[in-house]
């Protein structure tokens, strides 16, 4: 008696502690087993892979409601339900276990993806984003699990591998979309019964209509009338939101898979249709309805949620408006006011009842036309606008009001629009601004017509004045800059460059400097003069900045420098630049007693090219020669066009005569080319004269020796080269190496 008395309370206590979990595990076991039996039965009936695998998706709703550490019992319950169902069909134990673990991994991947993005899921969770995360993770998980399942065991050896993969993948993905979305919605609502509260009789009639029409469509074999299912399905969604979508898609999926398994319906209209093809068509058909139904349901539910939040927001807005110091109004397009905040009494001296009717007479006469134009534009275009104008106080004086107005849809839901108006007293600020404008009027008239940017910066590095010329430079108007700091206007990178000169000016020094900056997509050069602004006691209270754009001057300087040292046609150095570059090369070679190679090149029959094809062809030939010679510039040689069709190459990296001859030969071969001029092909040949020299000699001597070698090359019939070697050091005789 005592033993039985002890054991019985223990069992009761266990059931009392975890009744919810026990029932959940039993429900998941039955659900997983039942759905597995259903899908397997259809597959065995059609001798194809399952056309719709609902088991994994049905677990998602339970999984996302619990912390991840507590989900393993749910996975175990679903796994055993699957194993028992497969055992009833007599499937091999090891293969079934492997597939069951694969299904558990698929479910876990989707659960982890959803829980990572949405740690807590409530009815306030944005459904479109949740659906996007769920669909993407489901597609990835289903692809991985389908591939793994087929690798474990190919269910249909006669079927191509990728065909089997496509069928299994579609079955899992469709099942995840249908069962997963249903279970997630039930989980979010926390009580599946809540989905079906309200118009239950209407829901029942609509479900019967969809069922009857779907069955009728599949019973008609001679005509493809599947599109007729769309209207009742969409009606279900529009009237019953997620409840209609879940039940409607479930009915369509069950009828479709059943019809495909029983060889019923218009799928037989396809010529030589096979069971596998029927399964594929059924999957595609169900997928099409999911693609239509799910976005519509998500949109409608999100719209309902936003409308609820809008109503709540309006209540909060009314509470804030009633207690705000600003004047808040809701105004109809015709001017009638739906709401006036109590602050109108404190701000303008009027009672709320007195201000409910339109009062354009209270606007200052000088501002009425401008305000009317602003209001008309707001009503015509919509959006929002800001205006500053004068309103008459009940005592008779005028206050400056800064008003912000926005055209919105009426929260009453009657299809009309209204203006939300917020106004605040800015009289003191306007008076200060007017005084400042008057004090700067004379200076502004002068500086706005100076072709330079003139600005004043206070000790906090904020612009207190800047003339109109800044808009031509940067595209910003003075109003956009006033009140901002130098760092905000000029950017952090340029500010770091200017900071040194700002500090020197604040220290009392007059500073001149130049810098570069990019404005309106152009790199510009500026010259700036910072002058300290001092009071009568000599204390710095800011600085004046005079900035002049000198881009055109810099461009002219660069162009003059380029023209002085670069050949305009070929881009190579000209004679002057060559002379400047050759001098240190020859000096270094003399000091190190190392050799140099100087080569002269001349285009053969260049005058004939000009006479036959025109000077444009000649220029094209010279440009092409220059392009080929650029390769040797990259190798460290000094290359220049020294006049007409003459070029020179000087290099000091060749250590012996053999290397020099190889270099000259390579140069000669490189410059054999064919230049296309329209439809004509111009064969270009060059004669070359080179001198390989050891010792100390002037550039003129080397040029003379190379010119003599070039003369011998031309005498030899052109299109060839000649090279001589010379050696001359102090104390040695001139002679061939």
């Amino acid at each position: 008696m005592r033993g039985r008395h002890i054991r019985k309370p223990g069992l009761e206590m266990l059931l009392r502690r975890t009744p919810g979990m026990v029932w959940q595990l039993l429900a998941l076991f039955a659900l997983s087993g039942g759905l597995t039996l259903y899908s397997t039965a259809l597959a065995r009936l059609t001798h194809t892979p399952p056309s719709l695998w609902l088991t994994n998706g049905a677990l998602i709703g339970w999984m996302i409601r619990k912390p991840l550490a507590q989900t393993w019992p749910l996975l175990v319950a679903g796994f055993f339900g699957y194993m028992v169902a497969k055992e009833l069909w007599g499937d091999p134990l090891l293969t079934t276990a492997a597939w069951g673990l694969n299904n558990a991994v698929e479910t876990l991947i989707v659960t982890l993806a959803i829980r990572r993005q949405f740690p807590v899921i409530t009815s306030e969770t944005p459904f479109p984003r949740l659906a996007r995360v769920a669909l993407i993770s489901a597609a990835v998980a289903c692809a991985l699990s389908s591939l793994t399942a087929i690798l474990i065991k190919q269910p249909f050896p006669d079927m191509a591998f990728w065909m089997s993969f496509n069928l299994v993948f579609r079955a899992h993905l469709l099942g995840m979309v249908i069962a997963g979305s249903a279970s997630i919605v039930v989980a979010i609502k926390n009580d599946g019964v809540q989905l079906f509260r309200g118009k239950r009789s209407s829901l029942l009639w609509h479900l019967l209509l969809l069922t009857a029409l779907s069955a009728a469509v599949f019973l008609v074999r001679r005509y493809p009338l599947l599109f007729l299912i769309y209207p009742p399905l969409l009606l279900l969604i529009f009237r019953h939101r997620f409840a209609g979508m879940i039940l409607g898609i479930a009915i369509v999926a069950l009828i479709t898979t059943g019809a495909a398994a029983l060889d019923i319906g218009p799928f037989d209209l396809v010529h030589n249709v096979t069971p596998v093809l029927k399964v594929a068509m059924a999957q595609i058909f169900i997928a099409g309805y999911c693609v239509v139904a799910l976005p519509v349901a998500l949109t409608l539910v999100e719209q309902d949620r936003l409308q609820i939040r809008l109503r709540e927001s309006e209540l909060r807005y009314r509470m804030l408006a009633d207690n705000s110091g600003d004047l808040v109004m809701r105004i109809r397009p015709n001017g009638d006011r739906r709401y006036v905040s109590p602050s109108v009494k404190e701000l303008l001296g009027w009672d709320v009842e007195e201000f409910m009717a339109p009062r354009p007479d209270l606007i200052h006469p000088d501002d009425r036309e401008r305000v009317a134009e602003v209001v008309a534009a707001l009503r015509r275009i919509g959006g929002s606008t800001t205006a500053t104008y004068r309103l008459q106080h009940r005592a008779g004086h005028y206050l400056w009001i800064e008003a912000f107005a926005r055209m919105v849809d009426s929260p009453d839901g009657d299809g009309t629009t209204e203006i939300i108006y917020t106004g605040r007293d800015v009289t003191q600020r306007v008076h200060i601004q007017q005084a400042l404008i008057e004090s700067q009027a004379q200076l502004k008239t002068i500086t706005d017509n100076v072709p330079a940017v003139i600005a004043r910066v206070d000790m906090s590095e904020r612009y207190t004045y800047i003339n109109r010329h800044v808009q031509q430079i940067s595209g910003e108007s003075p109003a956009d800059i006033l009140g901002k700091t130098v760092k905000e206007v000029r950017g952090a990178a340029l500010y770091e460059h200017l900071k040194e000169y700002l500090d020197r000016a604040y220290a009392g020094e007059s500073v001149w400097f130049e810098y570069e900056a990019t404005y309106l997509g152009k790199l510009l050069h500026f010259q700036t003069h910072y002058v300290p602004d001092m009071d009568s006691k000599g204390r710095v209270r800011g600085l004046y900045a005079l900035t002049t754009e000198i881009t055109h001057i810099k461009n002219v300087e660069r162009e003059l420098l380029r023209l002085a040292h670069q050949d305009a046609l070929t881009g190579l150095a000209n004679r002057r630049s060559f002379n400047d570059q050759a001098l240190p090369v020859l000096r270094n070679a003399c000091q190190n007693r190392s050799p140099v190679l100087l080569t002269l090149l001349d285009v053969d029959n260049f005058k004939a090219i000009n006479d036959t094809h025109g000077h444009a062809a000649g220029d094209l030939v010279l440009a092409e020669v220059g392009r080929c010679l650029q390769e040797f510039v990259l190798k460290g040689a000094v290359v220049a066009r020294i006049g007409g069709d003459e070029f020179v190459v000087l290099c000091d990296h060749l250590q012996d005569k053999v290397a020099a001859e190889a270099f000259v030969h390579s140069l000669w071969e490189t410059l054999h080319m064919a230049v296309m001029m329209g439809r004509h092909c111009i064969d270009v040949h060059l004669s070359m004269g080179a001198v390989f020299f050891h010792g100390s000699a002037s550039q003129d001597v080397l040029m003379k020796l190379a010119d003599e070698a070039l003369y011998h090359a031309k005498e030899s019939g052109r299109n060839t080269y000649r090279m001589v070697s010379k050696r001359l050091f102090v104390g040695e005789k001139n002679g061939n190496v």
Side-chain angles (χ1 to χ4, degrees), residues 495-508:
Y495 173 76
E496 291 301 321
H497 176 72
L498 300 177
K499 179 63 175 174
E500 173 190 352
Y501 305 106
L502 287 169
D503 293 341
R504 289 167 60 184
Y506 285 133

Side-chain angles (χ1 to χ4, degrees), residues 9 17 26 89 92 105 110 281 318 361 387 398 400 434 464 491 535 579 588 637 655 668 693:
R17 284 182 178 179
L26 291 175
W89 282 106
V105 171
V110 179
M281 288 190 295
R318 174 66 70 94
D361 57 299
Y398 284 92
W400 282 97
Q434 289 175 344
T464 60
D535 60 16
N579 292 338
N588 183 67
Q655 299 302 317
W668 178 73
F693 188 84

Side-chain angles (χ1 to χ4, degrees), residues 112-133:
L112 289 173
I114 295 175
R115 290 299 297 269
R116 181 168 183 171
Q117 295 294 324
F118 304 94
V120 178
I121 302 177
T122 66
S123 58
E124 294 298 318
T125 301
F127 283 93
R129 185 177 166 215
L130 174 62
R132 182 168 62 252
V133 172

